[in-house]
Amino acid sequence: MTEFLSQLNPQQREAVTIGDGPLLILAGAGSGKTRVIAHRIAYLIAERGVWPRNILAVTFTNKAAEEMRKRVTRLIEGLEIGSAPLIATFHGLCVRILRRDIETLNAGYTRSFTIYDQDDTVRLTRNSIRDLGMDDKQLTPRSVQSTISAAKNRGEDAESFAARAHFIDERRASIARVFQLYEERLHKNNALDFDDLLIKTVRLLRDVPEVRERYNDRFRYLLVDEYQDTNQLQFGLIRLLTEKQQNICVVGDPDQSIYRWRGADITNILKFEEHFPSAKVIRLEENYRSTQNILDLASGVIKHNIERKEKALWTQNPAGEKIRYYQALDAESESRFVAGKIQEHLRSEPELRAAVLYRTNSQSRVFEEAMRRAGLAYNIVGGFSFYERMEVRDIIAYLKLAMNPHDSIALQRVINTPPRGIGKMTLDEIDNRTRELGISHWDAISDLIADERRLSARAIAALANFQRIVNQLALKVEEILSTNPGGASPEEESESRIESASPVSDLVKAAILDTGYENALKSENSDEAEGRLENLQELVNAAVDYDEQGAEGLRDFIDHSALVADTDQYKADVPVTLMTAHSAKGLEFPLVFLVGLEDGLFPHSRSLSDASDIEEERRLAYVAMTRAERFLYVTHAVKRRVYGEELASEPSQFLNEMPLELIEDVSRGRSWLSFARGSHTLKGEAGSGRYEDDNQYSEAGNEFTIEGKSNKPGGSKYTGKTYDSVESVEEFFRRRTAQMGSPRSTPKSQGRSASPKPDPRSPSPLSFGPGSYVRHSKYGRGLVLRREGSGEQTKVTVNFPGYGAKKLIEKYAGLEKD
DNA sequence: GAACTTGCTGAATTG
DNA sequence: CAGCAAGTTC
């Protein structure tokens, strides 16, 4: 059984076989990270006699968990083992623990709590804002919810948030009030949001020693994947779970930390050895995935991060093809290029799998269309997943309601879906009642029906109808619950019961039929309704998987629908996969297209103002590039529609950070790259000197510690020219203007690119067009990159050497012509 | 009360 | 260009 060790290199083998105690595996991209975890699990079971149920492996995504499960199963196939190791996502693990033990927390939650997903929490936030008499236009539910979530992730509760908010500003104080009401209502509804899943679990383990003890005994070996992305709460969870045994093995790569915005704390991995003093550290630095060229390209980019420790990732793979670069006119032509290239590759290698990686989900649509036109089978990961479809969520809401009619969010969602004559007036009345008596919406309905005076007979009838529907469904749930006690001992089960072979899917069917949902769709008679019906059929199919678990299965099924956010299980045999760079983490493809490499898109505009945000973007680009095994294409478009408006877009700075000698230009006509090359030789700098590091860091060895944020560079870190550098931008504009003048340049569309929208209305004397120099009192001399808006709101983006690009309101910036 | 129309504002990444 | 909310009409 040790034969599987022979497939590993010495470092991997050590990581797999090393004994108990804390272990940190620093695994570069493509170094066989998942493989090592899977092997370690198998090794623990097969060679060290660890009981599988004592092993817990935690991942971030369902996809990763799935993959891990598959690999482990393959490795331990044929062994006589009674149980399987638990491989789950953080959230999945928490649900599991809470479903069992939350009541011991004595905080008023019951084991049948509901999970609110993003959609639910935003609704709840909106309700809270309104009920506090605030304006949900000034305080948009979405942004308030994300502020709340960020606070919860920092470990702040409503009270401490409020205490601090007081000193900040009015807006913050308002959010604090919403926060409080939001929490109150979650609690009243016996509901937990995603953050609560972690928070409550940590609290449970912290406050209830018996429970902590039990899980410490149960999970004697804990393995964590993508450790660089853990946040404070997850760290807390890990520490509590390993308190006793200290058998904690984490795997991660600081260069692939891309979830800071979600509270991920990179110091978790950087300080692992401080947190677990007896920790051993193993580095995996040989890359098995990519060609030398791809690796060099990715390294060339990630090198520009300052908050980083140099790492020696290497490969024995051949240099391979050059990286191909394409400059497209717009998003459509970009997608056409990609589809065309995929076809070309498939012609010579029909088995090749391709991935198209973009920064934002909204980019997917164009590619989807291009694939369809090209007749390429594709699938999309992320974006609107199956479980986010309206009709699917409606049916789930009915099921939730059947299990817990006091779930007000679910109730509000479906009380009049399909339309059954419960209108605004009636709903308002229910709301009033709810508030007056401090009861749930469900109770308010009974109350109003009994009252008779407050509503018209017609409204009362409609409410009674709704009540009947939910009750009927609840009754079915109860029936099945009593006849199919999932999880009960087998003997008990075998006697007297008319067991349904398909309890869960039957309930889903009932929720579709008995609520009038199906009829409403059928009578619509449209293609859209047709599609929805198909989706619901699909939902029933999905439920079948849970039938064998009996009644417990319904709970699991509903949990699953909340926790499976990405369209998991992208079929590996489909030739093309479209997804965000984030979703691609952990995957690999022979052929990769990294698209939309434009300033403001990738790196995303929201990150431009903050240096460490840019660094995270760069890591994201690094993740994307290192997904490629053999062929990598990088593309960008010259213009793109944003908000339905066509805007000129500049090449991403990341393009300029790529070692240009590795790149082959396959654009039609002159491109940014030919410009970049031209300027390069013009300056007569030696190719190798271009990205020279004056590195204070690369020599410092392989300590994966951050060199402190104090890295105030006297200048920028490298001496080469970046896209941002004043000279290169200047040259770029010169080139562009020259190009535009030439009669052979592409007709009409190109005229807009150099200066987006010269506004005819405000020929202000203070207008600084792109390409001109300005002087700022604080930042000094800079070059105008872009100009947008008009009149009072004219904003200019100016690049100041040493400070980076700043967006300024022209009117207030006090700029002078230089 | 429901269906339709207009008008407005606002998208990053995920479990 | 969306998705949503308020306004309008039947």
Side-chain angles (χ1 to χ4, degrees):
Chain A
M1 199 52 217
T2 39
E3 91 214 28
F4 59 64
L5 291 182
S6 62
Q7 308 159 7
L8 304 173
N9 74 28
Q11 291 76 34
Q12 291 177 333
R13 201 172 310 146
E14 197 191 356
V16 167
T17 56
I18 202 166
D20 290 358
L23 172 63
L24 166 64
I25 302 172
L26 289 165
S31 63
K33 178 170 62 81
T34 316
R35 197 156 183 235
V36 164
I37 306 191
H39 276 79
R40 187 169 169 87
I41 294 172
Y43 185 81
L44 286 171
I45 296 169
E47 296 298 318
R48 308 220 4 242
V50 176
W51 206 24
R53 58 171 279 122
N54 288 145
I55 299 174
L56 167 66
V58 195
T59 63
F60 275 86
T61 66
N62 295 297
K63 217 159 37 196
E66 184 95 3
E67 174 68 23
M68 187 87 68
R69 231 172 273 136
K70 260 202 307 229
R71 293 213 198 184
V72 172
T73 314
R74 209 179 309 136
L75 287 171
I76 59 177
E77 215 161 49
L79 284 184
E80 292 279 318
I81 47 164
S83 58
L86 179 58
I87 300 174
T89 62
F90 273 103
H91 291 87
L93 170 71
C94 291
V95 171
R96 215 183 153 98
I97 294 177
L98 293 174
R99 283 261 177 257
R100 188 188 157 119
D101 294 308
I102 194 168
E103 288 171 17
T104 61
L105 193 56
N106 269 329
Y109 291 97
T110 71
R111 292 173 53 173
S112 58
F113 62 83
T114 345
I115 303 167
Y116 279 2
D117 64 16
Q118 173 134 339
D119 191 88
D120 298 326
T121 55
V122 170
R123 276 163 190 272
L124 184 59
T125 310
R126 182 178 295 123
N127 290 347
S128 305
I129 293 172
R130 287 190 185 160
D131 290 349
L132 286 167
M134 298 174 186
D135 183 1
D136 64 0
K137 272 182 189 121
Q138 285 200 302
L139 237 48
T140 64
R142 225 185 114 85
S143 78
V144 172
Q145 152 58 24
S146 76
T147 309
I148 292 177
S149 172
K152 290 177 85 164
N153 266 306
R154 280 194 307 268
E156 236 173 293
D157 60 13
E159 282 67 42
S160 51
F161 183 88
R164 268 182 355 104
H166 221 70
F167 300 100
I168 302 180
D169 58 26
E170 198 69 20
R171 185 188 157 79
R172 199 88 180 163
S174 302
I175 294 178
R177 287 170 60 207
V178 178
F179 193 173
Q180 271 161 329
L181 186 58
Y182 171 92
E183 292 284 290
E184 232 169 76
R185 292 192 171 172
L186 272 180
H187 192 249
K188 198 179 268 174
N189 289 346
N190 195 23
L192 301 177
D193 63 18
F194 281 143
D195 305 317
D196 283 333
L197 293 177
L198 283 157
I199 294 171
K200 305 298 179 203
T201 307
V202 167
R203 197 166 295 165
L204 175 70
L205 292 174
R206 200 190 53 203
D207 296 351
V208 189
E210 308 88 75
V211 174
R212 180 170 67 237
E213 183 96 351
R214 180 147 47 76
Y215 284 106
N216 267 270
D217 288 342
R218 161 82 199 263
F219 300 126
R220 301 213 191 120
Y221 290 85
L222 178 57
L223 299 95
V224 185
D225 192 16
E226 307 283 10
Y227 190 65
Q228 76 282 353
D229 286 328
T230 50
N231 64 23
Q232 280 316 316
L233 286 167
Q234 286 151 342
F235 175 66
L237 180 67
I238 290 165
R239 219 165 27 176
L240 287 162
L241 280 176
T242 56
E243 192 184 60
K244 213 167 164 183
Q245 314 283 347
Q246 298 270 305
N247 281 325
I248 165 83
C249 164
V250 306
V251 186
D253 176 3
D255 283 339
Q256 294 186 61
S257 159
I258 54 176
Y259 286 106
R260 204 175 72 113
W261 54 275
R262 228 174 81 190
D265 185 351
I266 197 169
T267 58
N268 283 350
I269 191 166
L270 298 176
K271 296 202 167 159
F272 185 81
E273 293 160 87
E274 280 176 45
H275 296 146
F276 300 92
S278 60
K280 301 195 182 73
V281 183
I282 293 175
R283 293 189 172 75
L284 304 179
E285 297 180 319
E286 178 172 3
N287 172 295
Y288 292 94
R289 181 185 295 151
S290 311
T291 64
Q292 187 73 57
N293 281 342
I294 291 169
L295 215 52
D296 287 349
L297 190 86
S299 309
V301 173
I302 196 71
K303 244 201 223 163
H304 291 81
N305 271 3
I306 294 178
E307 289 184 23
R308 166 175 191 265
K309 266 303 177 185
E310 180 74 24
K311 179 169 46 178
L313 198 57
W314 59 282
T315 183
Q316 299 181 39
N317 291 338
E321 305 279 324
K322 283 199 165 183
I323 280 66
R324 286 153 200 169
Y325 159 90
Y326 184 78
Q327 170 172 312
L329 199 62
D330 53 24
E332 283 71 27
S333 88
E334 183 182 45
S335 69
R336 248 178 288 129
F337 168 78
V338 170
K341 277 296 165 196
I342 294 177
Q343 286 178 313
E344 214 176 296
H345 276 278
L346 287 178
R347 233 169 280 140
S348 49
E349 290 182 76
E351 297 297 302
L352 208 66
R353 288 175 313 114
V356 181
L357 309 182
Y358 35 78
R359 178 64 240 265
T360 66
N361 275 310
S362 60
Q363 290 166 260
S364 69
R365 208 167 62 189
V366 189
F367 285 98
E368 229 180 313
E369 278 158 23
M371 297 305 142
R372 215 174 290 153
R373 265 199 307 272
L376 287 164
Y378 65 92
N379 63 65
I380 294 196
V381 177
F384 273 93
S385 89
F386 179 71
Y387 290 100
E388 283 170 282
R389 303 250 161 86
M390 178 174 66
E391 60 278 15
V392 172
R393 296 184 51 85
D394 286 344
I395 297 306
I396 299 276
Y398 272 115
L399 293 170
K400 282 181 169 177
L401 215 46
M403 301 189 76
N404 171 20
H406 300 288
D407 182 339
S408 294
I409 290 287
L411 186 142
Q412 284 173 301
R413 180 172 186 105
V414 293
I415 185 164
N416 199 34
T417 330
R420 50 174 70 93
I422 300 173
K424 193 172 176 321
M425 301 254 285
T426 314
L427 292 177
D428 284 348
E429 197 52 43
I430 297 174
D431 268 355
N432 289 339
R433 230 47 204 134
T434 304
R435 236 163 307 145
E436 279 166 33
L437 304 176
I439 54 181
S440 70
H441 283 67
W442 179 248
D443 287 338
I445 290 175
S446 316
D447 190 73
L448 283 168
I449 292 175
D451 200 327
E452 288 196 355
R453 284 162 310 164
R454 300 182 76 117
L455 288 172
S456 68
R458 199 166 60 151
I460 289 184
L463 282 180
N465 180 35
F466 173 70
Q467 207 180 32
R468 190 184 50 78
I469 289 171
V470 175
N471 278 332
Q472 195 187 318
L473 206 55
L475 209 66
K476 280 200 181 161
V477 170
E478 231 165 89
E479 242 168 66
I480 284 173
L481 221 72
S482 56
T483 49
N484 296 272
S489 59
E491 320 97 63
E492 220 177 320
E493 275 183 67
S494 56
E495 56 184 291
S496 82
R497 79 168 190 209
I498 325 103
E499 80 189 71
S500 157
S502 44
V504 181
S505 58
D506 282 352
L507 277 170
V508 176
K509 270 187 216 155
I512 297 169
L513 285 170
D514 302 354
T515 56
Y517 210 97
E518 183 173 82
N519 280 336
L521 282 177
K522 274 189 176 153
S523 59
E524 233 183 83
N525 249 336
S526 66
D527 285 353
E528 202 197 338
E530 196 63 42
R532 299 214 162 130
L533 282 167
E534 278 166 28
N535 286 335
L536 292 181
Q537 186 50 54
E538 200 48 47
L539 186 67
V540 176
N541 292 342
V544 171
D545 288 345
Y546 292 80
D547 280 339
E548 58 184 30
Q549 289 181 58
E552 289 284 301
L554 180 59
R555 191 75 264 174
D556 274 9
F557 177 65
I558 293 173
D559 284 352
H560 173 84
S561 77
L563 295 177
V564 177
D566 47 22
T567 328
D568 279 307
Q569 279 124 321
Y570 69 102
K571 298 142 224 127
D573 51 337
V574 172
V576 186
T577 303
L578 311 179
M579 63 186 145
T580 61
H582 281 90
S583 310
K585 195 167 69 157
L587 303 176
E588 56 188 16
F589 298 86
L591 173 58
V592 168
F593 294 83
L594 177 51
V595 303
L597 283 169
E598 289 143 46
D599 192 30
L601 185 59
F602 200 168
H604 196 270
S605 53
R606 300 263 261 249
S607 72
L608 289 175
S609 50
D610 183 311
S612 49
D613 283 349
I614 291 265
E615 298 215 341
E616 176 144 318
E617 293 285 307
R618 196 174 278 115
R619 290 193 293 270
L620 182 59
Y622 177 77
V623 168
M625 292 182 280
T626 52
R627 299 309 95 196
E629 295 170 6
R630 292 167 51 205
F631 306 103
L632 174 61
Y633 286 80
V634 291
T635 71
H636 68 110
V638 178
K639 60 177 173 149
R640 182 176 292 277
R641 278 148 80 143
V642 186
Y643 279 139
E645 198 185 4
E646 218 152 64
L647 288 178
S649 33
E650 312 296 346
S652 165
Q653 65 185 89
F654 299 152
L655 277 170
N656 205 40
E657 291 167 4
M658 295 175 184
L660 299 189
E661 63 278 8
L662 299 176
I663 299 179
E664 175 189 345
D665 193 346
V666 295
S667 314
R668 293 178 301 148
R670 294 203 68 95
S671 65
W672 161 83
L673 184 64
S674 48
F675 146 74
R677 284 227 170 90
S679 74
H680 175 114
T681 44
L682 210 76
K683 285 220 145 188
E685 285 175 323
S688 59
R690 188 180 153 81
Y691 291 108
E692 198 171 65
D693 271 315
D694 60 345
N695 60 62
Q696 337 160 26
Y697 313 107
S698 41
E699 288 300 326
N702 288 333
E703 309 277 350
F704 277 82
T705 46
I706 277 188
E707 205 74 356
K709 288 208 163 189
S710 59
N711 248 312
K712 196 175 353 132
S716 56
K717 183 180 169 227
Y718 64 101
T719 54
K721 188 187 290 183
T722 61
Y723 171 64
D724 269 347
S725 79
V726 169
E727 313 90 82
S728 71
V729 176
E730 181 184 18
E731 264 177 52
F732 183 48
F733 278 110
R734 222 180 269 145
R735 154 123 248 133
R736 281 262 266 235
T737 2
Q739 205 178 349
M740 270 166 17
S742 103
R744 284 174 66 253
S745 64
T746 353
K748 78 184 178 189
S749 45
Q750 196 148 32
R752 322 185 62 161
S753 40
S755 56
K757 304 230 161 143
D759 193 312
R761 280 171 299 174
S762 63
S764 138
L766 279 174
S767 52
F768 308 106
S772 62
Y773 284 102
V774 294
R775 186 157 285 284
H776 186 274
S777 54
K778 181 159 157 223
Y779 303 124
R781 187 175 127 105
L783 178 70
V784 179
L785 297 177
R786 172 183 301 205
R787 208 178 128 74
E788 56 205 324
S790 60
E792 303 268 292
Q793 291 98 303
T794 305
K795 293 189 199 89
V796 287
T797 308
V798 186
N799 184 69
F800 297 101
Y803 296 94
K806 302 274 174 205
K807 205 175 220 180
L808 307 162
I809 310 274
E810 194 174 64
K811 186 160 169 250
Y812 303 114
L815 297 173
E816 292 169 38
K817 272 225 152 60
D818 186 89

